[in-house]
Amino acid sequence: MQVLPLQSGSAGNCIHVEGNGVRLLFDAGISGTKAKQRLAEHGYGLEGVDAVIISHDHSDHVGGAGALARRFGLPVHITEPTWHASRLAERGGDDGAWRHFASGATLRFESLLGSLTVETIRTPHDAADGVIFVVDDGKHRVGIMTDFGHVFPGLGSIVETLDAVYLESNYDAGMLADGDYPAFLKRRISGPGGHISNDESAELIARHGKKLRWACLAHLSANSNAPEVALATHRARYGDGLPLTVASRSSASARLDVH
C-alpha cells in the first residue's frame, strides 16, 4: 500500500491510500482543486479515485465532500448521522454520490488487481458519529487514526495489529496550558471528546506499536504544538528505532509505502 497525506490539521484533512489497484481518499477537508493539484504532483489523477470516505462531520474533514461529489463525480461514503450533522443532506442534489455505512462496518472495494477492506471503528470524539479506519490489503494493515477523543478501550489492541499508522499527535500539554486559547477551548481539546496529546500518542505507540514499520504524526495544532516538539516527545518515549514523519498542515507530504 501507499499512503499520501495531502494535508493534515485544523485547516483541512485529506489522505490518499492506494493498494491492489484501489484508490481511496480519507476525508475531504480541502477543496477539490487542491486535492487534484496535490495528487497531480505525485502522478495521480483525482478522477481515478474509487471512493471518498468521511470520518466525521467537522468541516476540516468534510468541507470539500460536496464539491468532490458534484464536480468530480466521486462516490462519498459517510454515515447517515455524519451526513445530516455536516448539513450535506440539506443541500440536496447528488443523491447518487452518497453511500451510507454504519459506524463499525467493514467496507470492501474491488479492482481487477484485488481488493482493499476498510474497517471503521467508532470513536468518542465530539462529533455526531465519528470513526477511525484500518485499511487492509490482505497482507498489510494501516491505521488512519485522528480525532478520536481519547485512548478508548480496545484501541491498543487494534494498534497491535498494524504495520503502519497515521496517528494524531495534536498538542503539547505545556504549550496548550500556557497558550492564549480561552479556558473552555483548552478543556475541550484536552478532554475526553477532544484530541490526543503528544504524550498520549507516544505512549500508545510505545505500548502497542511493536509491529509498526513507520508512524506518521498527524493533525498537529498550529498553536499548541510544533513538528520538532512532537518528534522529540515520541523519541524520548521509545527511541529512534521506528521511522517517524510529520504530516504537513499546508501541503502534500512525502508518500509512505507499506510493503
Side-chain angles (χ1 to χ4, degrees):
M1 271 187 286
Q2 293 84 41
V3 179
L4 176 62
L6 301 182
Q7 187 167 309
S8 180
S10 58
N13 296 271
C14 189
I15 307 101
H16 178 265
V17 177
E18 179 182 23
N20 289 339
V22 177
R23 294 179 53 212
L24 304 174
L25 288 182
F26 289 90
D27 285 329
I30 61 176
S31 70
T33 299
K34 283 184 178 179
K36 184 175 182 177
Q37 290 172 343
R38 291 173 187 177
L39 284 169
E41 291 169 2
H42 291 265
Y44 295 107
L46 180 58
E47 294 80 359
V49 168
D50 294 287
V52 181
I53 309 175
I54 301 298
S55 65
H56 65 289
D57 59 273
H58 294 167
S59 61
D60 57 326
H61 293 260
V62 75
L68 289 175
R70 288 190 302 272
R71 290 185 55 198
F72 298 97
L74 300 183
V76 180
H77 294 250
I78 188 168
T79 74
E80 195 159 359
T82 297
W83 188 55
H84 286 288
S86 62
R87 304 186 69 178
L88 287 165
E90 298 175 17
R91 298 171 195 173
D94 308 302
D95 290 342
W98 309 113
R99 316 290 172 85
H100 296 311
F101 67 91
S103 54
T106 296
L107 313 178
R108 186 177 182 88
F109 301 91
E110 303 277 355
S111 81
L112 294 176
L113 299 178
S115 65
L116 286 183
T117 60
V118 178
E119 300 165 19
T120 69
I121 300 105
R122 192 169 186 180
T123 77
H125 189 51
D126 55 1
D129 191 28
V131 294
I132 54 175
F133 308 103
V134 174
V135 189
D136 192 323
D137 68 356
K139 295 181 180 178
H140 307 105
R141 290 168 59 81
V142 176
I144 307 292
M145 298 178 167
T146 70
D147 301 74
F148 52 87
H150 63 272
V151 179
F152 54 88
L155 182 60
S157 297
I158 295 169
V159 172
E160 288 173 0
T161 74
L162 301 179
D163 298 287
V165 66
Y166 179 91
L167 181 66
E168 178 173 271
S169 192
N170 179 256
Y171 67 93
D172 173 78
M175 291 175 69
L176 179 65
D178 295 338
D180 56 4
Y181 281 148
F184 80 88
L185 184 54
K186 292 180 180 181
R187 288 193 297 269
R188 182 257 164 182
I189 291 169
S190 61
H195 290 282
I196 300 302
S197 71
N198 294 335
D199 289 324
E200 291 168 313
S201 178
E203 177 69 10
L204 184 63
I205 288 177
R207 292 186 63 188
H208 300 287
K210 308 304 183 188
K211 283 185 58 181
L212 293 176
R213 303 178 188 185
W214 55 256
C216 180
L217 308 182
H219 216 305
L220 270 66
S221 169
N223 301 92
S224 304
N225 208 353
E228 60 273 17
V229 174
L231 289 169
T233 301
H234 279 256
R235 291 292 182 223
R237 181 64 184 83
Y238 54 81
D240 297 328
L242 178 68
L244 283 179
T245 59
V246 175
S248 172
R249 289 179 47 84
S250 59
S251 63
S253 303
R255 195 186 78 181
L256 298 160
D257 296 336
V258 189
H259 48 71

